[in-house]
Amino acid sequence: MSTPGAASTSTPGSTSTPGGGVTGGGVTGPVTASEAAVPSRASGRTVSFEVDGRPVDAPVAPGQVLRTVLREAGVHSVKKGCDAGDCGACSVLVDGEPVHSCIWPAHRLDGRAVTTAAGLGTVEHPHPVQQAFVDAAGFQCGFCTAGMVVTASTLTEADHDDLPRLLKGNLCRCTGYRAIGDAICGVANTTTPAAGTAVGQSTTAPAALRVVTGGEEYTLDFRSPTKLLHLAVLGSPHPHARVVSIDVSAAEAMPGVHAVLTHHDSPATLFSTGRHEDREDDPDDSLVIDPVLRFRGQRVAAVVAESVREARLALDAVVVQYELLPAVFDPEQARRPGAPLLHGEKTSEVSRIAFPERNTVAAMHGETGDVEAALAAADVTVEGTWRTQRVSHAALETHATRGWLDDDGRLVLRTSSQVPFLVRDEVAHVFGLPQESVRVFTKRVGGGFGGKQELLTEDLVTLAVLRTGRAVQYEMSRDDEFTVVPTRHPMRVRVRLGATRDGLLTAMHVDQLMDTGAYGNHGIGVMYHSVHESTSVYRCENKRVDAESVYTNNLPSGAFRGYGLGQVVFGVESAMDELARELGLDPFELRRRNVVVPGDPMVVTDPDEETDLLYGSYGLDQCLDLVERALATPSDDPAVAAADVVPEGPSWSVGTGMALAMIATMPPRGHFADTSVALRPDGGYDVAVGTAEFGNGTTTVHGQLVATVLGTTPDRVTIRQSDTDVARYDTGAFGSAGVVVAGKALLAAAQKLRAAMVERALDLTGGAASVVDGGPLPEVVTGGVVVTRASRTPGGDPEHVVVDAGRLLAAGPLSADGSHDGTPRSVAFNVHAFRVAVDRSTGEVRMLRSIQAADAGTVLNPEQLRGQVEGGTAQAIGTALYEEVLLDEEGRVTTTALRNYRVPKFSDVPRTEVLFAATHDDLGPLGAKSMSEAPYNPVAPALANAIRDALGVRPHELPMSRDRLWRLARG
């Protein structure tokens, strides 16, 4: 807890105190041309070079780098992921050599030849490496792919055994790298389905060739038709302060500045950056610009200028007088009497904060049975406290929005979001605009993982556009992504378990405390979700849950893959493993004796709670069996077998561990999708759906569903998506809802259209009588409908009449709508196991085997689903071993670059063996379940349990870094 200074401070802009200035627009790293003011350009020079075989003459500013020169020249196949040489998304060839263009000095360009992914090949004529990435499904969101392909194009067959080293400069946050390795080694994982057979096959993504050739558009991959203004943000240098006065006159007078925005310009409407179907699921505790600053980096002012550089320079001229306020950084202290209050002026009734007088956003305290009595009577008890850390989403495309007014005066926002419709609705609410006067859309989004289920850039761009009447862009830097973007909620989880000697649970107590940071976005939903499926997966007559979500002056927490389950599952599954040891039971067997089975209620603390959560299918028993058998059997995969070798030396210890997780297949409290499918004259189909594509693969599956129902191939299905002007509505791409909600809605629309096409074909051919008389039903095929009718010649064979799309549409349009409301919901299960070797002398962990079984229902696209499991596993391995956003004792983020954050690289991720239970879900589309979030949840505890088995000492804190394990091994 910190105390306020003796006096308020008066300081200019972003140089007021260390850590004060937080800017958007990619301003970390070298100065870019788009940031440079006109005088800086004048002091530079013009260079002549080639890009993808095209001659270019470009002005270069002092300190400018190749990436920004290329982007200014309209070369959008080069991406910005870090601007620090850490991620490789910007990789290009300079005279045939791969370089990170974000750190390659532009003044060296004269006479050089630059090749980007777009120069390697085209959609019509891809480079062999690009075609290999398509065939292997070697990408998900694809933001890293253009750079990855460029690097891969320089490799030879002799390099295949050295990929971990050769790809160390290229990060992928989505795939888990196995499919990337397959692509480079020429392994094909996809197929081309025949008409009507797409479901169940590993079809390629519709955008695959555009992604690998650098032609797929992401948020900022287009030139503004009008002069673009840029936005930079002045962030608070203090963890808790009040703006006493702010003088922007000097900043407004600086060259290129069009506006300086402060809390005086902000709407007075409170809102939450977290987005859900029901906006009241999150507390209204935020303003676009708030005079009370509750964490370092929070917006104090924003400058809108001709360039980011000019905007940044103007920030230094903003003079702010702050009143310093006491701050609190520990959630345990924050909820105690007398702690500094972050939102004490707000009320529960207006802002929906449970207890603002003790910094508590939400609280749950409930019990069924008598836990204390059951613990006292138990034959065996275990207890422990586990802690999880802040984790950054580290999506390679940073948050960005470009906004403008269209010819009709409507506000248009092109943004990197998982929830365009919810953004539209909240922007309209905050700014008092009619919904129909706001259009929000996305192109392909470069990774999300829940981090783009927020409203973080769109509100400020809206304010700037409405103020200036001009097109405005706000692009966050990688530094911003670490210092102001919400992270995974850190949690303290205490678990107590009691059981009989034969291994039946008699008591379970979960006491969870989570740090929601300065604002409560997702602080309510994550808290409730974290203690739901993590506890209800087990039968136990005596359960108690104590959970609280607490404000602190740390940066906010938010939605992240698993939505809180991963943190609590880490505690519960670690405790279950310890209980198995105390009982002398195999950990698989202990789970079998205690998990819920169909017919059991899924109870947290209220056995009578009404719920729409059902057993649409059940595959947990199969998952346990699959993983247990695989772990006990040598793999026949040469890559897996080669890794399953214990290192030599006396300091290495080997252990195995497993864990399970259950998750609802979609979010509670409603998730809606309204879709449509229409027949085109060429026999293809136009689909309108609101779901955004960010590597979740829903676009691929949506095409498969429609193609299968309508007897065609996915390439004849054109999907228009994630645009509030195209689809009627979609709650958003979160909670793994893209397949089980939007997909089910599209399935219904396609089935309705099929019926309408058949009916019209029968009317046109007079074939209805034959059907009534027992003849075969018409068949919808590529391009139309085949109607079989009785021969017009006595005794002749039946006639097969093809009614093509043109004839069908001559009588009028043919389309159908489909919708789904997200209820009832099913449950999915995942079981993971590891065999590891741990070096007691260094703390190094080597994963010898990694196995996950998933209860995904009908597997609509095996390769894509495998990739989701692998990607979730890789992200969870990062959480378990490497990743942590560090803050100092004053709430200052000290992890501000990918090189210091440790996103897993190719060399860090083992090949995970992915197994599927054979189930068919009664509630999902064609029997499918969702499987985007679920794979993450059991990984960290399974790895922790394996490390416990190896060391004989249990880890209680994430990440289980080398230094922590070294200390643990030493006692």
Side-chain angles (χ1 to χ4, degrees), residues 577 581 653-658 833-836 838 940-952 954:
D577 188 71
R581 293 178 181 280
S653 298
V654 177
T656 60
M658 58 79 63
F834 285 99
R835 177 158 47 247
V836 303
V838 183
L943 192 49
N945 292 340
I947 291 170
R948 160 68 175 89
D949 192 44
L951 293 181
R954 179 161 298 282

Side-chain angles (χ1 to χ4, degrees), residues 57-368:
D57 294 321
V60 173
Q64 190 174 0
V65 295
L66 174 56
R67 184 192 71 79
T68 55
V69 172
L70 294 173
R71 295 287 295 188
E72 280 203 326
V75 181
H76 295 141
S77 51
V78 177
K79 310 301 181 187
K80 185 197 89 173
C82 65
D83 271 353
D86 295 335
C87 74
C90 68
S91 295
V92 299
L93 304 180
V94 176
D95 292 340
E97 293 296 320
V99 302
H100 288 171
S101 65
C102 71
I103 57 173
W104 202 86
H107 72 82
R108 298 180 185 172
L109 270 171
D110 253 332
R112 304 277 193 157
V114 177
T115 305
T116 75
L120 288 176
T122 64
V123 169
E124 296 78 15
H125 303 288
H127 185 282
V129 166
Q130 292 170 325
Q131 186 62 57
F133 269 73
V134 172
D135 296 341
F139 67 90
Q140 287 180 23
C141 88
F143 198 78
C144 74
T145 305
M148 192 78 72
V149 163
V150 166
T151 300
S153 72
T154 67
L155 304 179
T156 67
E157 187 174 347
D159 295 321
H160 290 177
D161 291 335
D162 200 19
L163 293 183
R165 182 183 66 85
L166 295 170
L167 292 180
K168 65 181 180 181
N170 290 82
L171 296 179
C172 176
R173 188 57 159 166
C174 300
T175 64
Y177 296 103
R178 187 271 313 163
I180 291 171
D182 283 355
I184 294 171
C185 295
V187 178
N189 299 314
T190 59
T191 59
T192 302
T197 67
V199 163
Q201 296 202 47
S202 295
T203 62
T204 59
L209 280 168
R210 296 194 301 275
V211 168
V212 300
T213 56
E216 179 73 350
E217 283 191 13
Y218 292 82
T219 307
L220 301 182
D221 289 346
F222 77 114
R223 286 193 176 222
S224 176
T226 60
K227 177 64 176 175
L228 191 64
L229 301 181
H230 295 266
L231 215 159
V233 175
L234 172 65
S236 171
H238 308 295
H240 202 187
R242 179 178 287 107
V243 175
V244 176
S245 67
I246 184 166
D247 183 356
V248 301
S249 56
E252 288 175 327
M254 292 187 69
V257 173
H258 285 250
V260 182
L261 307 172
T262 72
H263 65 275
H264 297 299
D265 304 290
S266 175
T269 303
L270 288 165
F271 68 102
S272 173
T273 64
R275 307 306 327 127
H276 285 101
E277 172 62 34
D278 184 348
R279 69 172 310 280
E280 295 191 353
D281 281 354
D282 299 283
D284 284 336
D285 58 5
S286 302
L287 293 170
V288 176
I289 304 178
D290 197 327
V292 179
L293 309 165
R294 298 176 175 89
F295 71 100
R296 292 182 185 273
Q298 183 176 330
R299 301 167 181 171
V300 177
V303 174
V304 185
E306 296 284 340
S307 69
V308 176
R309 184 184 184 96
E310 289 168 319
R312 285 188 73 190
L313 291 172
L315 292 179
D316 290 338
V318 177
V319 179
V320 185
Q321 186 176 17
Y322 300 97
E323 176 192 355
L324 302 187
L325 302 173
V328 61
F329 306 102
D330 183 342
E332 291 278 10
Q333 295 181 14
R335 61 179 176 172
R336 292 174 185 166
L341 298 180
L342 275 77
H343 297 275
E345 79 285 359
K346 298 182 177 74
T347 66
S348 301
E349 293 74 22
V350 173
S351 290
R352 299 179 301 283
I353 301 169
F355 303 105
E357 69 278 7
R358 62 181 187 92
N359 289 320
T360 303
V361 183
M364 174 184 174
H365 300 282
E367 185 170 15
T368 181

Side-chain angles (χ1 to χ4, degrees), residues 648-672:
E648 295 181 0
S651 62
W652 289 93
S653 298
V654 177
T656 60
M658 58 79 63
L660 62 78
M662 177 176 80
I663 192 170
T665 55
M666 62 188 83
R669 297 168 57 78
H671 202 104
F672 298 87

Side-chain angles (χ1 to χ4, degrees), residues 378-450:
D379 295 328
V380 177
T381 61
V382 298
E383 66 176 275
T385 299
W386 287 266
R387 298 182 185 276
T388 67
Q389 78 281 37
R390 285 179 184 80
V391 180
S392 171
H393 303 83
L396 290 188
E397 182 189 41
T398 63
H399 290 77
T401 300
R402 188 176 291 181
W404 63 92
L405 299 175
D406 68 12
D407 292 341
D408 297 322
R410 286 201 313 162
L411 174 69
V412 181
L413 299 174
R414 173 168 166 154
T415 189
S416 183
S417 176
Q418 297 173 224
V419 286
F421 286 83
L422 300 187
V423 167
R424 176 201 63 184
D425 294 353
E426 197 65 5
V427 164
H429 171 75
V430 170
F431 289 89
L433 302 172
Q435 280 188 6
E436 60 271 17
S437 71
V438 182
R439 176 192 176 196
V440 178
F441 71 103
T442 78
K443 302 302 284 186
R444 194 176 187 91
V445 176
F449 317 113

